[in-house]
Amino acid sequence: MTVGSAGRTPTTAVPAPVWRVAVVLASGSVMTGLDTSLVNVGIEIIGRELDASLTEMQWINSGYLLALAAALPTCGWVSRRIGTGRLWLWALAGFTLTSALCALARSADTLIAARVLQGLTGGLLIPTGMAILGQVAGSGRMGRVIAVSSVPAILAPAFGPIIGALLIDNFSWRWMFLVNVPIGIVGLLVALRVVPRGAAGRAARPDVPALFLVALGLPLLTYAVTAAMDRRGLFAAAVLAPLAVALVALVLFVHRSLRAAEPLMDLRLTRDPVYAAAASTIFFSSAALFGGLIVMPLYFQLAMARGIIDTGLLLMAFSLGATVTFPVAGRLTDRHGGGIVTVVGLVVTVAGTVPMAVLPSDPNVVLVEALQVVRGVGLALAGSPVVSAALARVRSHQMPDASAQVNILSRVGGAVGSALCVVVLADALADARSEVEVAAAFRSTFWWLTGMAAVALVLATWLTRAQRGARRTGPK
């Protein structure tokens, strides 16, 4: 594909079969996105009915997240073994089945076990779907396809809590899991007709030591970050011990993967400057996104004294701003490149976050909502374009590895950003004795969010320069 004299890349229409595949693959995003946000609403209700403590019930989420983290690194190897499309179909069927098992659970232990199985299938579902999209869309259309396919992921946090509350009020908590079953069945039936299976090629025997290291490191890192949020501190033994083991395991995994002839996960993709810059940006932009997602509900409830329902409605401004921007972001990415669009998005994100860091203790709710729309627009312009930039840089057979790495960086970056915001906010709120001091605690946290977005902006500038250099030197 050539670049026009004005620096623009001519774009071609996305064929209808590609959109059909994208719509079907979105069923996986809808299920996993809704599942997490729905369960958060029902933790207390589930514990009461199953006669379990709140500590036990936290493992409904923690077990899912740990299993998901363990499954992500295997995505590339299994895709090469059986074909990317086949893996997605099996993962969708598995997620649907385990959702039913969660709904049928009669004790906390069986529910947690079912959630672990659900996490394993969910860890394969999302990166595999992203890999298929990258393969069928091609680099010239990837921006639009990835952007539109990202809409369900950003809408789930907005509508999930409201849907969950309605299901609990009118039916029971079991419907929070059962709602996935019809979506999964319909998605599977349609997917059998439209999703390409992919070639089942040769895959080396799995590197067992590498698998052990990453399957140990990522879940322990996830656990350490979750423990930091629960304990509202970074220096407790329950945080530092798993964090240290996780970092050692992951460093050894990276060392082994870079030296292996046929690694479990191809980390040599990061030797490409464009891919490396995009991957680094993804980590910090995810920290800014997910950090904001965990801070804003607390801001509405603690700083603005809003109830749960009001909070859910007020949170929609961010998601709606992002939703209407995603299609625009996709078109701009395919025309101008993901780097420059991400830079613009992060500038907008910073512009929407800085005012939150200087608002008074009695802010105008209309102004706060307007700033949330701005943040939604900015993070939509920064989110899918940088993912598209990373995936557009790899070859088709490398797509499963690249999509798994993108998902790992996004989830770990989001977890780190969330933990950092919770720790900073909790530490500041511990000494707050008045509305003014509560507002000051949130202002401090918003400055941290601004810093995360600013670091991502610097990295996105590197990405833009790397893309310009790649265009001068020709195709990879």
Side-chain angles (χ1 to χ4, degrees), residues 267-280:
L267 299 183
R268 285 176 289 231
L269 296 175
T270 56
R271 293 175 179 172
D272 178 79
V274 175
Y275 183 87
S280 303

Side-chain angles (χ1 to χ4, degrees), residues 14 36 57 95 123 152 171 237 362 377:
V14 179
T36 301
M57 285 298 92
F95 197 90
F171 301 100
D362 56 343
V377 169

Side-chain angles (χ1 to χ4, degrees), residues 217-456:
L218 276 180
L220 275 180
L221 180 60
T222 303
Y223 176 81
V225 170
T226 303
M229 287 191 287
D230 290 342
R231 295 173 182 271
R232 301 180 179 181
L234 297 172
F235 301 105
V239 177
L240 290 178
L243 181 61
V245 175
L247 293 178
V248 170
L250 291 175
V251 167
L252 292 174
F253 169 74
V254 170
H255 177 74
R256 185 178 181 89
S257 297
L258 291 175
R259 294 169 62 89
E262 296 188 71
L264 178 72
M265 180 183 288
D266 188 4
L267 299 183
R268 285 176 289 231
L269 296 175
T270 56
R271 293 175 179 172
D272 178 79
V274 175
Y275 183 87
S280 303
T281 307
I282 287 168
F283 182 91
F284 284 97
S285 61
S286 297
L289 167 62
F290 287 97
L293 289 178
I294 202 168
V295 168
M296 283 314 301
L298 297 172
Y299 181 78
F300 287 128
Q301 292 174 31
L302 300 180
M304 299 186 68
R306 299 285 176 159
I308 295 177
I309 299 298
D310 283 350
T311 296
L313 294 173
L314 290 169
L315 288 172
M316 287 187 181
F318 174 87
S319 296
L320 294 177
T323 299
V324 299
T325 307
F326 270 124
V328 178
R331 289 194 294 271
L332 291 174
T333 298
D334 286 340
R335 183 172 292 274
H336 299 285
I340 188 62
V341 179
T342 303
V343 167
V344 172
L346 289 166
V347 169
V348 173
T349 301
V350 171
T353 308
V354 169
M356 295 296 300
V358 296
L359 286 178
S361 57
D362 56 343
N364 183 289
V365 67
V366 175
L367 174 60
V368 173
E369 287 294 270
L371 291 172
Q372 292 317 294
V373 171
V374 172
R375 277 180 49 82
V377 169
L379 285 166
L381 289 171
S384 63
V386 70
V387 171
S388 300
L391 298 184
R393 196 59 187 166
V394 304
R395 298 182 176 91
S396 180
H397 71 277
Q398 298 170 318
M399 199 68 70
D401 276 328
S403 62
Q405 291 170 30
V406 164
N407 273 272
I408 289 171
L409 288 168
S410 177
R411 291 181 183 278
V412 173
V416 170
S418 299
L420 185 57
C421 286
V422 167
V423 170
V424 170
L425 180 60
D427 184 60
L429 286 176
D431 299 322
R433 297 292 182 267
S434 66
E435 291 182 3
V436 173
E437 291 175 337
V438 169
F442 277 99
R443 283 197 293 269
S444 175
T445 308
F446 282 119
W447 279 121
W448 279 91
L449 274 175
T450 302
M452 296 175 201
V455 173

Side-chain angles (χ1 to χ4, degrees), residues 33-50:
L34 270 180
D35 188 81
T36 301
S37 56
L38 288 176
V39 171
N40 288 336
V41 176
I43 289 290
E44 194 271 335
I45 301 284
I46 296 172
R48 193 189 314 154
E49 183 166 326
L50 296 181

Side-chain angles (χ1 to χ4, degrees), residues 62-135:
S62 297
Y64 176 88
L65 292 173
L66 294 176
L68 186 144
L72 279 171
T74 66
C75 180
W77 184 85
V78 181
S79 294
R80 291 191 292 273
R81 188 79 174 182
I82 69 173
T84 309
R86 289 184 182 86
L87 177 57
W88 187 87
L89 290 169
W90 280 108
L92 180 65
F95 197 90
T96 304
L97 176 61
T98 52
S99 295
L101 293 177
C102 288
L104 296 172
R106 289 294 181 266
S107 70
D109 290 342
T110 54
L111 177 56
I112 291 168
R115 282 286 282 172
V116 168
L117 294 175
Q118 195 181 39
L120 291 173
T121 57
L124 297 172
L125 189 61
I126 299 303
T128 307
M130 186 180 291
I132 296 171
L133 282 178
Q135 290 168 339

